[in-house]
Amino acid sequence: MNTPTLAIDNLNLSFKGLLSRTQVLHSVSLNVEKGERVALVGESGSGKSVLARLVLGLLQDQRGVEVSGRIGFAGTELDQLSRAARRALRGRDMSMIFQDPTSSLNPMFTIGNQFHEVLQRRTPDLGTGQAQDTARSWLDRVSIPDTDRVLASYPFQLSGGMNQRVMIAMALANNPTLLLADEPGTALDVTVQAQTLELMRALAEDVGTAVLFISHNLGVVREFADRVYVIHRGRIVESGSTTAVFDNPGHPYTQALLAAIPRITGDGIPDLPEQIDLSHPAVHHNTGPAGHD
Amino acid sequence: MIALTRLIAKRLATASLVLIGVSMLIFAIARVIPGDPARIALGPNATDEQLAKLRAELRLDDSLPAQYAHFVSELLQGDLGISLYTNRPVTTDIAQFLPATLELVLVAGTMMVLIGLPLGMLSARYEGKWVDNLIRIVSLLGVSAPSFVWAVILMLLFAFYLPFFPIAGRISEQYAIDPVTGFLLIDTLLAGKPWAWLDAAWHIALPAFALALSGIGQAARLTRANMVETYNTPYIEMARSYGFSESRIARRYAFKPSLIPSLTIIGLDFAAMLGNAFLVEAVFAWPGLSRYGVAVILRKDLNAILGTVLVISATFLIINIIVDLLIAWLNPRIRHAEQKP
Ligand SMILES: Nc1ncnc2c1ncn2[C@@H]1O[C@H](COP(=O)(O)OP(=O)(O)OP(=O)(O)O)[C@@H](O)[C@H]1O
Ligand SMILES: [Mg+2]
């Protein structure tokens, strides 16, 4: 069997304040194979984004952050890499689509400028003209009309949905080995969202990109993911193939989550009643770690 | 472009209003404070006739509004009157003394920007580390004393006890430089005398540094504060997620957004140096506008007082406008404000 692109084992994370210490992730283990699309679902504050940040190595250096456990990337132990080696992976071999599109793009530089620099992470001596062409074709693929105007614009001149498409295009443009997509469709209308999902699917199939897809939207997850992890208050409470988890949920939290779907109007997970049995053991549907159906 | 033109027009209009206000105020105050300018100028032995003649020349017996109207009509022809102290046109005096002051302020302002901003940037990048602590202590020290105190301290230390720098003046006597711009750092180059340029730079270093110190501290502190805030924004996290190096992030992605909020205050500090320069000039016997200004105030030399104040206010306002334009030019939000139909 191949080494998984992402192998998280027994990951713990806590934030230490002046007086208190809050544990945010509790021995989380999670795998994403090459070319696999894995979803991480859970309510707000359950620890989805911090998990993605830890994979990129963005949180480790912050004050008051305590991490234990291991994160393996394509056979390499990330915490054994030097800081520079770890940085070298980012933007080339791993990239992330951030949750908040408009404030995640730098307000002082045009989209074209930022795109150019992202592309240069893969091709350091890429000239402006070539970068423009590549950027334009990527913006086309996320169905941005009038690409020249968008490339010359600053983020504040574009709508939230536009910025989100730009961010998705940037994250895909370097053909990463691992894509961390944190709520990548929230500001998009349904057709564009479907298109971006299709792009990620194509990347997974053509280039073998492993996708960790973080989402509130269970409908989209069911549509997109091969496998699902359900996270609740920093613990993985259920995992397995999408069909297994959706058709045969074993953990009371997952059951409550799925029971709530018909009541969800847009996307997003409603506040669930508090009487969920937290002592219930995690449920792992045994579809094998690769999980391809 | 339209936005910028409009901005300039608006700022110039405000500046003119301010100048009119300042001129009226100083005009009235200078005339209301006790002491007869004619008596001071002519000395105790002057006859009543001589006094009356000078008073008539100066129109001191007219009503205040009439005097002001006369002053404005002369001013519009570029005439600020004759100084009773030097017996020369006030414009000639100012043209002689202003460049020395401006040169001092400009060099100090450049030091403030070139030293203060990088210090603040370093401090923010190494937040909480020893570099940061050191810079914070130094910049706190800088802002904690006014510039004339620094002038005295620096002069005692580095010109008197350790004679590394000259104690007074703008340039050594052996160099004769024809004034073209009045800025010695430019005129020496125009004259093709690099040694004279070095000598002038050596003379200006200490007074300019004394004048700049509190500004350097202020600029460093502001830049640090704004940059620490910028470091917490999602776009810096995104830059990190793309693996850009920390030094590139500091220089490119974090510095520019942090500069804009600091610039307004740095600009004000820069303009305030004009005022602080008076005392620094006094300490270093710098032949600038301050010595002239103090002398004419003591002699109640009405035309010269008004001329000096007006020129300084105008310079202050011009510096402010330049800083505002710089901010507008740096900030894409303002630069592109008018693009939408
Ligand atoms: N820098 C930090 N310092 C302290 N606590 C933090 C920090 N970052 C995140 N947390 C806490 O960690 C928990 C998980 O946050 P995270 O952002 O991962 O949630 P999430 O699952 O992504 O939620 P959402 O769906 O709303 O994005 C939250 O309780 C949050 O308050
Ligand atoms: Mg999140």
Side-chain angles (χ1 to χ4, degrees):
Chain A
M1 203 179 69
N2 301 334
T3 39
T5 301
L6 178 65
I8 297 178
D9 190 30
N10 218 347
L11 190 65
N12 290 286
L13 165 70
S14 23
F15 291 103
K16 219 167 52 181
L18 270 185
L19 301 170
S20 61
R21 185 171 164 282
T22 329
Q23 187 159 359
V24 170
L25 292 179
H26 302 262
S27 39
V28 168
S29 299
L30 177 155
N31 277 353
V32 187
E33 305 293 327
K34 189 171 190 302
E36 197 187 18
R37 305 184 298 272
V38 170
L40 181 62
V41 289
E43 65 195 337
S44 192
S46 54
K48 307 183 295 293
S49 297
V50 289
L51 182 92
R53 289 192 164 93
L54 282 175
V55 172
L56 280 172
L58 296 175
L59 273 183
Q60 279 83 343
D61 287 341
Q62 272 180 30
R63 229 175 307 165
V65 171
E66 286 176 358
V67 189
S68 70
R70 46 168 294 270
I71 305 174
F73 175 70
T76 320
E77 290 297 311
L78 286 184
D79 59 0
Q80 277 166 19
L81 290 180
S82 71
R83 209 173 282 183
R86 200 156 186 186
R87 183 166 68 70
L89 292 177
R90 299 203 287 264
R92 284 187 227 170
D93 301 313
M94 348 173 141
S95 63
M96 175 151 169
I97 301 168
F98 283 88
Q99 220 171 340
D100 182 355
T102 300
S103 58
S104 293
L105 292 164
N106 197 305
M108 304 299 293
F109 301 99
T110 60
I111 301 294
N113 209 319
Q114 299 187 48
F115 220 117
H116 187 180
E117 292 179 4
V118 163
L119 292 172
Q120 277 179 329
R121 287 289 297 140
R122 180 66 91 188
T123 323
D125 45 6
L126 188 72
T128 314
Q130 275 174 297
Q132 289 270 336
D133 291 343
T134 313
R136 221 178 277 125
S137 79
W138 273 105
L139 293 185
D140 262 342
R141 270 179 256 185
V142 291
S143 21
I144 285 182
D146 201 357
T147 47
D148 283 320
R149 184 186 69 89
V150 170
L151 283 176
S153 298
Y154 291 86
F156 64 87
Q157 294 172 312
L158 302 175
S159 69
M162 272 306 178
N163 283 326
Q164 193 154 46
R165 287 184 236 182
V166 168
M167 263 214 322
I168 293 172
M170 279 181 183
L172 302 183
N174 285 337
N175 293 338
T177 316
L178 173 67
L179 175 68
L180 302 157
D182 195 355
E183 314 269 359
T186 38
L188 302 179
D189 54 51
V190 185
T191 40
V192 178
Q193 190 172 354
Q195 244 161 344
T196 58
L197 291 178
E198 199 40 59
L199 273 176
M200 288 190 240
R201 199 194 302 267
L203 201 64
E205 268 156 26
D206 303 345
V207 194
T209 297
V211 183
L212 181 66
F213 183 81
I214 295 172
S215 182
H216 276 140
N217 189 328
L218 293 174
V220 170
V221 166
R222 182 171 212 166
E223 185 60 35
F224 179 74
D226 302 320
R227 271 190 313 125
V228 178
Y229 286 85
V230 180
I231 187 170
H232 180 53
R233 301 199 181 167
R235 291 181 174 82
I236 301 290
V237 294
E238 183 151 2
S239 69
S241 72
T242 307
T243 30
V245 172
F246 274 80
D247 296 346
N248 193 13
H251 193 277
Y253 177 71
T254 317
Q255 288 161 2
L257 212 58
L258 290 173
I261 293 186
R263 290 188 269 118
I264 304 173
T265 44
D267 49 358
I269 293 169
D271 287 331
L272 296 172
E274 282 295 317
Q275 67 268 50
I276 291 164
D277 180 10
L278 286 177
S279 61
H280 193 287
V283 180
H284 299 289
H285 298 270
N286 217 351
T287 47
H292 285 292
D293 296 287
Chain B
M1 256 3 257
I2 307 162
L4 276 194
T5 328
R6 190 177 299 169
L7 184 78
I8 297 174
K10 217 163 101 184
R11 302 285 294 152
L12 282 178
T14 330
S16 320
L17 283 180
V18 171
L19 278 183
I20 293 172
V22 166
S23 69
M24 285 181 170
L25 202 69
I26 299 298
F27 193 87
I29 290 175
R31 264 146 244 258
V32 168
I33 52 173
D36 179 0
R39 170 64 77 190
I40 299 172
L42 296 177
N45 300 325
T47 63
D48 283 350
E49 254 166 53
Q50 288 171 316
L51 283 176
K53 186 162 166 275
L54 184 57
R55 291 182 61 82
E57 258 173 43
L58 294 172
R59 296 168 182 262
L60 287 177
D61 300 321
D62 293 1
S63 71
L64 218 51
Q67 286 184 45
Y68 185 72
H70 176 73
F71 160 77
V72 171
S73 72
E74 299 274 278
L75 176 65
L76 290 179
Q77 296 161 37
D79 188 357
L80 286 166
I82 302 289
S83 159
L84 295 179
Y85 166 50
T86 58
N87 275 323
R88 298 190 305 180
V90 171
T91 43
T92 312
D93 288 345
I94 288 176
Q96 181 184 343
F97 297 117
L98 182 66
T101 297
L102 278 186
E103 187 170 42
L104 185 64
V105 168
L106 287 175
V107 171
T110 310
M111 285 179 171
M112 167 166 84
V113 169
L114 290 189
I115 302 174
L117 297 185
L119 281 184
M121 207 199 294
L122 260 161
S123 201
R125 185 175 155 195
Y126 296 102
E127 191 198 348
K129 309 264 165 52
W130 66 268
V131 186
D132 178 31
N133 292 330
L134 185 72
I135 293 175
R136 284 168 77 185
I137 292 171
V138 171
S139 47
L140 185 65
L141 209 66
V143 294
S144 58
S147 41
F148 73 91
V149 172
W150 284 121
V152 172
I153 293 175
L154 289 179
M155 183 164 98
L156 283 177
L157 280 180
F158 299 111
F160 189 74
Y161 292 119
L162 306 167
F164 296 151
F165 290 96
I167 270 192
R170 294 178 75 190
I171 195 161
S172 302
E173 275 179 12
Q174 78 245 38
Y175 299 108
I177 302 296
D178 291 331
V180 182
T181 59
F183 291 81
L184 281 182
L185 290 177
I186 295 174
D187 289 349
T188 48
L189 290 183
L190 291 180
K193 294 178 177 165
W195 290 110
W197 186 89
L198 273 180
D199 186 72
W202 182 51
H203 273 79
I204 204 170
L206 210 52
F209 189 63
L211 184 57
L213 250 176
S214 61
I216 291 174
Q218 178 88 328
R221 285 158 60 85
L222 267 173
T223 307
R224 178 190 182 277
N226 286 323
M227 242 175 106
V228 164
E229 209 170 293
T230 305
Y231 266 125
N232 286 322
T233 58
Y235 58 83
I236 295 301
E237 181 169 50
M238 169 141 151
R240 289 201 170 115
S241 86
Y242 275 102
F244 297 115
S245 71
E246 280 301 313
S247 73
R248 184 187 174 99
I249 287 175
R251 273 181 291 110
R252 188 163 164 78
Y253 303 109
F255 178 63
K256 220 176 154 194
S258 315
L259 185 60
I260 289 166
S262 323
L263 261 187
T264 316
I265 296 180
I266 290 174
L268 284 176
D269 277 354
F270 186 31
M273 282 182 182
L274 270 176
N276 295 334
F278 267 60
L279 288 165
V280 174
E281 284 184 10
V283 173
F284 282 94
W286 190 259
L289 205 55
S290 76
R291 235 193 306 180
Y292 179 72
V294 172
V296 297
I297 288 171
L298 291 178
R299 284 175 179 75
K300 225 183 156 203
D301 183 349
L302 295 177
N303 290 333
I305 293 175
L306 204 52
T308 308
V309 172
L310 277 183
V311 164
I312 294 221
S313 321
T315 314
F316 188 99
L317 291 168
I318 289 170
I319 292 178
N320 265 325
I321 292 177
I322 291 175
V323 170
D324 275 3
L325 288 178
L326 194 65
I327 293 173
W329 175 70
L330 280 176
N331 190 345
R333 263 177 216 273
I334 302 180
R335 203 168 0 125
H336 294 270
E338 222 99 332
Q339 273 198 352
K340 281 177 194 156

